[in-house]
Amino acid sequence: MVPEKQAVATLLMKLLPGDSKDLQQLREAAQTVHLPAGQMVFRRGDPCQGYLLMVAGCVRVQVVSESGRDVVLYRVNPGESCVITTSCLISHENYPAEGIIEEDATALVFSQPVFEQGLAVSEVFRRFVFSNQGRRLSDLILRIEDVIFERLDSRLAKLLIEYSKTQQSIINMTHQQLASELGTAREVVSRQLKVFEKKGWIVLGRGSVSQVNIEALRGV
Amino acid sequence: MVPEKQAVATLLMKLLPGDSKDLQQLREAAQTVHLPAGQMVFRRGDPCQGYLLMVAGCVRVQVVSESGRDVVLYRVNPGESCVITTSCLISHENYPAEGIIEEDATALVFSQPVFEQGLAVSEVFRRFVFSNQGRRLSDLILRIEDVIFERLDSRLAKLLIEYSKTQQSIINMTHQQLASELGTAREVVSRQLKVFEKKGWIVLGRGSVSQVNIEALRGV
DNA sequence: TGTTTTTGTGTGACATTATCACTGCAAACA
DNA sequence: TGTTTGCAGTGATAATGTCACACAAAAACA
């Protein structure tokens, strides 16, 4: 496990750089944890236990309705922390959403007292924590806008474009997963995908979308 | 204007209590400003100028689409601060929404350096600032849920119930205003209100909804 | 005072999206 | 081999959103 320790140390030095004793103590107080894909890190209504900083892997944060429909709010990627966790930690509210490990993850945990101490003594830590917050909040507001104002076809097109850029030429997602990203129903996505396919802009497979014509979709 | 100065001082002592020199300096550094109803305090894309703490009146924070439809995200009431402002101030992002004075307002402004200094030196100030953040973030998430999962009739019913509790027996709002609260179109609200009226649950006037049968609406 | 103008509402027609209730298909498995 | 399970397709219908108006009350104005 020495190489991982190295990686964690390097990341910490990059995110929270500085030689002060306070920062050194803070970096040392972080606990490394491993979380397997599929595990739920927090549920709606849970109190918040500690500050979470992702090192590797990814957490999906989402809300689920009684009827079973769900929406993904955002993801927490390496080097980032979770807005909701931070807010709940500070204001002692309970989680308003749930977080699930999407890819096997490694994270650093700062206990509540360590976190508060860090905020108190380190300018660097404060900046790190709260600049994370600002970006996420903006994301959430964009999300609201998107859901309320944009049409489904253009939202789906945007999503496909985004995925086809990161993942290579084939997007391995079910219609249900795409629907969750958009906060809509599976059937709606299926139908819209069919429309795109008929226009020759995508090719559908079982659990996949491939040969995405980005240029064509941009025009939706 | 001496009584107002008194009121401001009292509020500040209540929100940021303590005798330390740091806190005293912080309280003294706040500038009192008056803002008339209708004035826009910040626009989308603006950089953030300072930390805003409401003393009296109310700010409405909303996003507007190109097509002119708008949604109210939340309001900032006396004793509160604006999440977006705080986040943008800390992370140096631009405003993702706009803020409009809804009722003639008095607010305290802390300049960026004063704000940062305050965060650095005062535990009390940090707690105040960030507990505000936590609550708002939860509100925003509830808002997303509501918009995505709930049906319009029940959302409208909920809104009417809420207003008929605070305002007396008559709600003085146009259909357009109600629609903005829900993030939907005016016609949709008009039609739904008509349905409620036909069932005898409300009485409609020009610019008003009265005689709200809360019990009946709860059942929607 | 009567006459515009503005603002708020009502409504029909139609497009989009959501929901329900199925069907069929393919992979996984016993 | 049949059987279960998860994924996708589809028709019917309901709910919402959009567009294009008509109409009336209120406000502004001459």
Side-chain angles (χ1 to χ4, degrees), chain A residues 159-170:
Chain A
L159 191 66
L160 292 176
I161 291 170
E162 193 184 307
Y163 280 126
S164 65
K165 276 178 182 164
T166 51
Q167 308 181 22
Q168 315 68 326
S169 61
I170 184 165

Side-chain angles (χ1 to χ4, degrees), chain A residues 69 151-153 183-188 191-192 206:
Chain A
R69 253 178 71 193
R151 301 170 45 97
L152 197 97
D153 50 1
T184 185
R186 200 253 323 153
E187 304 89 308
V188 177
R191 276 193 254 264
Q192 192 58 55
R206 189 185 170 84

Side-chain angles (χ1 to χ4, degrees), chain A residues 19-59:
Chain A
D19 299 327
S20 74
K21 198 159 173 66
D22 290 328
L23 267 171
Q24 281 180 27
Q25 283 184 350
L26 188 61
R27 287 192 295 256
E28 281 162 20
Q31 300 278 321
T32 305
V33 294
H34 294 273
L35 303 158
Q39 183 173 328
M40 196 168 275
V41 241
F42 53 86
R43 281 162 214 281
R44 173 184 215 126
D46 280 0
C48 182
Q49 307 291 354
Y51 184 70
L52 218 75
L53 177 53
M54 297 300 288
V55 176
C58 168
V59 179

Side-chain angles (χ1 to χ4, degrees), chain B residues 21-62:
Chain B
K21 196 157 175 69
D22 290 328
L23 268 171
Q24 280 180 27
Q25 283 184 350
L26 187 61
R27 287 192 295 255
E28 281 161 21
Q31 301 277 322
T32 305
V33 294
H34 294 273
L35 303 158
Q39 183 173 330
M40 196 169 274
V41 242
F42 52 86
R43 281 160 214 283
R44 173 185 215 125
D46 280 0
C48 182
Q49 306 291 354
Y51 184 70
L52 218 74
L53 178 51
M54 296 300 288
V55 176
C58 168
V59 179
R60 183 176 78 241
V61 178
Q62 61 186 13

Side-chain angles (χ1 to χ4, degrees), chain B residues 166-207:
Chain B
T166 53
Q167 311 183 20
Q168 315 67 326
S169 61
I170 184 164
I171 303 171
N172 284 303
M173 290 184 82
T174 66
H175 298 182
Q176 178 56 64
Q177 287 174 318
L178 291 169
S180 294
E181 297 294 325
L182 300 174
T184 183
R186 200 258 317 156
E187 303 89 310
V188 177
V189 168
S190 289
R191 275 194 255 265
Q192 193 58 57
L193 285 173
K194 265 272 159 274
V195 172
F196 289 163
E197 189 185 40
K198 277 196 181 125
K199 294 191 179 179
W201 296 347
I202 57 175
V203 172
L204 293 177
R206 188 187 167 84

